[in-house]
Amino acid sequence: MTTIAHAGRQRRAHARPSRRDPFAATPLTKAALLFTIFLSVFPLYWMVVIASRTTAQAVDVPPPLLPGGNLGENIARVFATEDAHFVTGMTNSLIVSSTVTLSVVAISTLAGFAFARLRFRGRKLLLGSILLTMMVPIQQMGIVPLYQLMVNLEWTGTLQAVILPFLLNGFGVFLMTQYTEQAVPMELVEAARVDGASTMRIYWNVVLPAVRPGMAVLALQTFMLNWNEFMWPLIVLTPDNPTVQTSIAFLTGQHTTDYALIFTGTALSVLPLLVVFIVFGRQIVGGLMEGAVKA
Amino acid sequence: MSLNVDTGRVRRAPTPPRGSRHAGRKPPGSGLLARFDLRVTPYVLISPYFLLFAVFGFFPLAFTLWTSFQKYELAGEARFTGLDNYVKLMGDADFWNAVVNTVGIFILSTIPQLILALLLANALNKRIRGRLFFRLGVLIPLVTSVVAVAVVFTQLYGRDYGMINWVLGFFGVDNIAWQNEKWSSWLAIATMVDWRWTGYNAIIYLAAMQTIPKDLYEAASIDGATPRRQFWQITVPMLRPVIIFTVFVSTIGGLTLFAEPVLFNNGTMSGGSTGQFQTVAMYIVEKGFRQFEYGYAATVAWMLFVLILIGVLLNYSLVRRIGGGR
């Protein structure tokens, strides 16, 4: 026993020449990585520093480097700044982003299942057309007719005007097609058919449980993308019924120099995404990396 | 956006379904209902997407094209004027200024971003303690909102009280009014874009790097190749498909840049006093929704598409050469 263990240890020690291993991080690499992390985190930290200071301190030279004690007061001020409608903006963004996310995931899993595991005429052509349109920034290019459409429907200033155009998400269909192909073996679908299951039943009982990880990645990305949407809400919504992003843009436009106020609003707007990141960070990294490897 | 798209992959995406040996076998109980289910349900499943596409994709694009041939303003009827808008656009100095700005900011942000991402991915790929910590750390910028990034960086770039000028002051640099010049505003906006996206691209490169067989490096080591040479001659060429993907995504994102330059100037569309950082997307909004020249805005929108098309094709042909011909 001991000899074998010893030999094993020896061999391992041999396979890893301590100094000249090209895969080990050098001190320089470590320092560079730490510096990168510092650069990544600093603007966020700075946001908190200013958000917790008074308006006067925010423009001090040299700049304050530590958080102060005014965060609560600043938050109250953001909520009390009536013309920014910040609370409405946060609520609207939550409603819009969640609605879009749920719908996109539903639409994409349905279509992904059909494209990956069902046979029908025109399948390749239709899937190809989705891939092509993914290259077109539709919401930006078609902004004039989309706006006209909303005017004609008398939907300007309403939430459905910001929700509906973003339900169209070719990337989602593509991702779920890829994921279903990989996660649901054809044999499984056919076995279910032989057992007499209808297509919808297969979707519900076979496909959905298997593609859940793919759904999670799509959901997170869709939520982040829509939480961040700026151009379209800026045009189609009114300042008294904004999303959180346009509310902050309004704050910066109207209270130009009150950085403590603006930064507090900004920090609050990032909070939901940060919570998602802290809870699901590991899955996000995993999902991103898995997706990249498949590509 | 995201990552599973890759031109190499796209080409072979629709693999024929496996298990075709079952083809033709009818499921039990193949009555009318079952046959209907097999034939029609697939179309039902994909119909939500295509209905949405018809209303919010095809209609706006086609109508944008139609509107671009019209003189169509807030007051007055739309009138078909043929190519007038396009002719006017060709001689529109403001439009070309916006194109130059967009392309300039795009180049200034994308090239350093992708190179930094490659180096960062290479560093993250080394054996190091606290791997998850580093990976999460570089991804943090991605989960902040665009508006937050723009607001914070605009303050950091402030002329009198901004931290960046304060730091530069130690090196004897006078306070810079970052908004005032083309080069400085482009640089400032490019750093906002880079801060947000470098880590994301690095994580994608990292994932692809981990699929490169290690014996390639071992063989190269034995042949006496330095780590630097290995990076440029093995890693980068092996990453080509992923690099193409990231270039593709950055091109679309970069050429439609909007939020950062808008917020860099208090949320206005003008992009500075002489439009020194007005992008094409901002120009569309300015024309269409500040001056209400709908027809002209639609023309600019189509030109934006042409710009993206050129950008994608050009970048694709450039990047395809990485490690090629060897």
Side-chain angles (χ1 to χ4, degrees):
Chain A
M1 272 318 265
T2 22
T3 17
I4 295 169
H6 188 68
R9 203 177 311 138
Q10 231 175 8
R11 206 178 309 129
R12 230 175 296 131
H14 222 59
R16 196 197 291 171
S18 53
R19 287 275 161 239
R20 298 188 37 97
D21 181 356
F23 295 108
T26 61
L28 189 69
T29 308
K30 281 182 200 159
L33 278 177
L34 283 173
F35 184 63
T36 311
I37 303 288
F38 167 75
L39 287 182
S40 296
V41 174
F42 180 76
L44 291 173
Y45 172 75
W46 178 242
M47 193 160 74
V48 177
V49 170
I50 297 298
S52 59
R53 293 275 176 165
T54 65
T55 305
Q57 286 170 334
V59 291
D60 274 352
V61 176
L65 290 175
L66 292 173
N70 293 71
L71 185 62
E73 195 184 310
N74 285 333
I75 292 176
R77 277 203 308 138
V78 171
F79 289 161
T81 309
E82 280 176 19
D83 55 358
H85 300 277
F86 188 79
V87 178
T88 316
M90 281 290 259
T91 322
N92 282 345
S93 280
L94 278 175
I95 295 172
V96 170
S97 303
S98 334
T99 314
V100 173
T101 302
L102 284 176
S103 320
V104 164
V105 168
I107 293 166
S108 305
T109 47
L110 281 170
F113 166 45
F115 281 124
R117 288 294 171 250
L118 298 179
R119 264 161 279 170
F120 56 95
R121 208 179 285 258
R123 190 181 70 97
K124 277 190 180 180
L125 196 75
L126 290 169
L127 186 60
S129 76
I130 294 182
L131 296 184
L132 266 183
T133 51
M134 275 168 54
M135 222 178 74
V136 187
I138 292 171
Q139 286 92 3
Q140 280 175 309
M141 267 194 67
I143 198 162
V144 173
L146 276 176
Y147 182 75
Q148 304 288 342
L149 182 69
M150 296 306 162
V151 170
N152 287 332
L153 294 168
E154 294 182 0
W155 280 359
T156 49
T158 67
L159 290 189
Q160 62 261 37
V162 242
I163 292 172
L164 281 166
F166 287 89
L167 298 188
L168 178 66
N169 187 330
F171 169 75
V173 176
F174 177 67
L175 179 75
M176 289 320 299
T177 304
Q178 298 271 302
Y179 203 89
T180 311
E181 262 175 13
Q182 175 226 307
V184 185
M186 197 65 183
E187 288 75 14
L188 207 61
V189 176
E190 279 174 354
R193 271 230 202 281
V194 170
D195 290 343
S198 69
T199 307
M200 278 321 283
R201 202 181 164 77
I202 296 173
Y203 168 73
W204 193 256
N205 288 348
V206 177
V207 176
L208 274 191
V211 299
R212 212 170 275 159
M215 285 162 74
V217 172
L218 177 62
L220 289 167
Q221 291 185 0
T222 312
F223 191 91
M224 288 203 294
L225 214 67
N226 280 279
W227 186 264
N228 277 328
E229 184 52 39
F230 180 60
M231 187 169 170
W232 178 240
L234 189 70
I235 281 160
V236 84
L237 292 183
T238 49
D240 61 345
N241 190 31
T243 65
V244 69
Q245 310 295 343
T246 57
S247 165
I248 290 173
F250 188 84
L251 263 184
T252 60
Q254 297 297 309
H255 306 263
T256 348
T257 51
D258 195 345
Y259 285 116
L261 182 73
I262 296 170
F263 274 46
T264 308
T266 310
L268 290 173
S269 82
V270 171
L271 209 60
L273 292 181
L274 271 182
V275 169
V276 168
F277 187 66
I278 289 163
V279 177
F280 297 105
R282 194 185 288 262
Q283 282 90 326
I284 296 176
V285 177
L288 284 176
M289 294 192 48
E290 200 183 315
V293 172
K294 266 185 282 158
Chain B
M1 269 288 291
S2 203
L3 22 138
N4 302 47
V5 204
D6 161 72
T7 42
R9 175 82 193 183
V10 168
R11 223 174 299 122
R12 60 191 153 84
T15 39
R18 282 180 294 145
S20 47
R21 64 203 143 94
H22 290 298
R25 186 216 280 190
K26 287 202 178 87
S30 59
L32 208 59
L33 206 65
R35 201 179 295 170
F36 180 84
D37 184 43
L38 271 182
R39 289 265 162 92
V40 180
T41 313
Y43 295 105
V44 176
L45 297 190
I46 60 171
S47 60
Y49 175 84
F50 284 96
L51 280 176
L52 280 167
F53 181 75
V55 180
F56 298 106
F58 182 76
F59 160 74
L61 292 180
F63 208 78
T64 302
L65 186 63
W66 171 237
T67 312
S68 76
F69 295 122
Q70 292 178 326
K71 185 168 178 61
Y72 180 15
E73 291 169 9
L74 186 62
E77 289 287 293
R79 191 158 47 82
F80 186 81
T81 53
L83 289 172
D84 278 10
N85 282 335
Y86 288 89
V87 174
K88 184 178 158 198
L89 193 72
M90 290 302 126
D92 181 351
D94 289 343
F95 168 70
W96 290 110
N97 171 57
V99 170
V100 169
N101 291 340
T102 309
V103 174
I105 297 173
F106 164 67
I107 292 173
L108 209 55
S109 60
T110 307
I111 293 176
Q113 178 189 331
L114 296 185
I115 292 176
L116 279 175
L118 265 175
L119 297 174
L120 187 56
N122 198 44
L124 286 169
N125 200 23
K126 302 286 182 201
R127 222 189 359 257
I128 194 164
R129 256 195 298 169
R131 272 187 350 182
L132 189 67
F133 164 78
F134 284 110
R135 289 177 187 180
L136 287 177
V138 301
L139 263 188
I140 271 197
L142 186 68
V143 298
T144 53
S145 70
V146 203
V147 172
V149 176
V151 165
V152 172
F153 273 77
T154 304
Q155 195 269 354
L156 288 171
Y157 277 110
R159 187 191 61 193
D160 300 319
Y161 312 110
M163 186 175 282
I164 290 170
N165 275 346
W166 178 67
V167 171
L168 287 177
F170 291 119
F171 300 96
V173 181
D174 287 334
N175 278 1
I176 299 170
W178 291 90
Q179 269 91 346
N180 282 9
E181 299 289 333
K182 258 194 203 293
W183 70 268
S184 57
S185 57
W186 289 8
L187 199 65
I189 293 166
T191 53
M192 297 181 199
V193 177
D194 287 348
W195 182 77
R196 203 157 114 78
W197 290 107
T198 305
Y200 164 85
N201 284 314
I203 291 292
I204 294 176
Y205 291 154
L206 171 65
M209 272 179 196
Q210 293 184 337
T211 64
I212 302 176
K214 293 221 161 165
D215 24 327
L216 275 181
Y217 295 102
E218 275 155 23
S221 293
I222 292 167
D223 290 347
T226 60
R228 177 168 303 169
R229 207 175 137 86
Q230 291 176 27
F231 175 71
W232 290 109
Q233 308 246 323
I234 299 174
T235 311
V236 174
M238 291 293 279
L239 292 185
R240 193 168 58 178
V242 188
I243 294 177
I244 291 177
F245 163 71
T246 53
V247 167
F248 181 84
V249 171
S250 315
T251 307
I252 296 177
L255 294 179
T256 55
L257 193 69
F258 180 76
E260 289 92 341
V262 166
L263 287 155
F264 195 47
N265 197 25
N266 293 329
T268 59
M269 296 301 145
S270 58
S273 49
T274 55
Q276 56 270 34
F277 51 92
Q278 185 181 47
T279 63
V280 177
M282 290 160 82
Y283 194 59
I284 294 175
V285 173
E286 186 181 40
K287 283 291 161 195
F289 300 96
R290 298 291 178 267
Q291 300 167 3
F292 304 105
E293 296 177 31
Y294 298 131
Y296 198 59
T299 315
V300 182
W302 265 95
M303 294 310 285
L304 177 63
F305 178 60
V306 172
L307 192 67
I308 291 172
L309 216 58
I310 295 174
V312 166
L313 290 176
L314 210 66
N315 283 321
Y316 181 69
S317 65
L318 278 178
V319 179
R320 230 164 51 124
R321 290 175 197 196
I322 295 178
R326 213 169 267 135

